[in-house]
Amino acid sequence: MDEYKTNLIIRAKNGDNQALEQLLKGEETNIKTMIFYLKKNWEDINDIVQNILFKVSVKIKQLNNPNSFKSWLNQIVLNTYYDYLRKNKKYSKDLYLDEKNETNYYNIADYSTNPSQRILDNELDFVIKTSIDNLPIHYKIPITLREIQGLSYSEISNITKTTVGTVKSRIARARALIKNDIDKYIGE
Amino acid sequence: MDILQKVSQEYDFELEFSNRLSYEALCAISPNIRSQITDYLMKFYYISKSINKTKRKIANQH
């Protein structure tokens, strides 16, 4: 982590609201992208992100080590996401899927009436997003933490309470599953 | 066996995205396996590029 950001975290932790605002603004895109890939549709994304940012602003004083900010933040992101799943049972089946569905990925989600369509403006992006949507949750979380948040295997293992070896194999498996969908799309 | 596992075992390095796999490491791999890895890494590149593009678009929504 760079010195500027560490300084920002320390200031936010000590009650500097301007630093906190700047810190949250800097994290918002990553958090929103993470939730976008964890969820199957755009519904409630802004609410979930605002909830996360609120929790961060309230709990930042409890952060012991500024260097562990990213892991700490992502723990909040995941806990909030799990809370959301529990409260919205229609999505909770995502928690227990062990195998990827072999369904036609064009039929999985309807992006035509929500902001996702503006974001996923080409077919390959749509295929990759849908492929991630269909991953079992224990693959989806490590790969999004790696790809979007840029966390190390060790940081992901701490957050997911698994071994580094498990994290590596789950990420490798997730990439292989996404690769299969890309292959289908490209027509290899 | 998955090609990534096979190569990891044979060459004892961790495969990551193409930009993290050195040219020297790639050259050390036999040509037939190399072509499969290149294919694999290209797919990883697609994933990474697509996610980064999505991130930029989400950032622009703010």
Side-chain angles (χ1 to χ4, degrees):
Chain A
M1 195 187 309
D2 62 58
E3 204 176 317
Y4 174 76
K5 190 165 179 186
T6 308
N7 185 262
L8 212 55
I9 295 165
I10 294 168
R11 281 168 51 207
K13 189 172 147 53
N14 293 331
D16 182 336
N17 286 335
Q18 211 175 346
L20 177 66
E21 198 181 324
Q22 218 173 323
L23 185 66
L24 295 181
K25 205 173 174 186
E27 295 298 331
E28 190 174 351
T29 298
N30 270 0
I31 295 171
K32 195 176 264 189
T33 308
M34 176 92 183
I35 300 295
F36 177 68
Y37 279 99
L38 288 177
K39 281 187 90 276
K40 287 193 176 181
N41 55 45
W42 190 262
E43 190 188 344
D44 300 331
I45 283 187
N46 287 329
D47 290 345
I48 298 170
V49 172
Q50 287 311 310
N51 194 2
I52 291 165
L53 295 177
F54 175 73
K55 283 181 186 172
V56 171
S57 64
V58 169
K59 292 181 177 179
I60 193 144
K61 287 178 185 169
Q62 298 165 18
L63 174 68
N64 293 324
N65 178 6
N67 291 325
S68 62
F69 174 76
K70 207 146 194 189
S71 296
W72 175 83
L73 170 74
N74 280 291
Q75 193 70 68
I76 293 177
V77 170
L78 288 186
N79 288 344
T80 310
Y81 172 65
Y82 285 134
D83 284 346
Y84 175 82
L85 288 178
R86 276 190 286 270
K87 285 175 190 164
N88 295 269
K89 288 182 181 172
K90 59 182 171 175
Y91 299 113
S92 64
K93 63 180 180 180
D94 291 356
L95 283 168
Y96 308 110
L97 282 176
D98 288 330
E99 296 298 331
K100 181 180 179 295
N101 292 331
E102 289 296 327
T103 332
N104 180 340
Y105 41 77
Y106 291 107
N107 293 333
I108 303 293
D110 176 15
Y111 293 108
S112 60
T113 55
N114 62 46
S116 299
Q117 194 183 31
R118 290 195 292 275
I119 293 165
L120 305 168
D121 64 352
N122 79 47
E123 282 187 1
L124 184 57
D125 292 334
F126 180 79
V127 168
I128 290 171
K129 159 69 174 145
T130 310
S131 182
I132 294 173
D133 282 346
N134 289 332
L135 290 174
I137 195 86
H138 56 269
Y139 291 162
K140 196 190 288 189
I141 286 178
I143 198 161
T144 48
L145 287 171
R146 181 74 179 163
E147 294 293 333
I148 298 160
Q149 301 287 20
L151 295 184
S152 69
Y153 291 131
S154 169
E155 286 171 318
I156 298 170
S157 91
N158 284 334
I159 292 172
T160 56
K161 315 258 186 306
T162 51
T163 64
V164 170
T166 303
V167 169
K168 280 184 184 177
S169 71
R170 285 180 178 177
I171 289 175
R173 184 77 185 126
R175 284 176 182 154
L177 289 168
I178 299 167
K179 177 195 174 292
N180 286 345
D181 285 342
I182 296 174
D183 285 344
K184 280 183 210 165
Y185 169 70
I186 293 174
E188 198 178 79
Chain B
M1 185 189 288
D2 184 284
I3 186 72
L4 284 179
Q5 289 174 325
K6 192 175 169 188
V7 171
S8 297
Q9 280 178 13
E10 285 184 21
Y11 296 96
D12 194 28
F13 58 72
E14 188 180 281
L15 283 174
E16 274 294 334
F17 289 124
S18 52
N19 59 357
R20 293 178 209 156
L21 179 65
S22 72
Y23 177 75
E24 290 75 17
L26 200 59
C27 287
I29 301 166
S30 67
N32 60 327
I33 296 178
R34 196 188 307 155
S35 67
Q36 293 179 65
I37 291 174
T38 308
D39 173 63
Y40 230 102
L41 293 174
M42 275 307 289
K43 303 298 183 332
F44 290 172
Y45 171 74
Y46 287 149
I47 300 168
S48 185
K49 193 178 168 190
S50 176
I51 288 175
N52 281 324
K53 199 173 106 185
T54 301
K55 203 187 279 188
R56 279 198 305 276
K57 288 197 169 187
I58 287 176
N60 289 337
Q61 279 192 328
H62 291 168

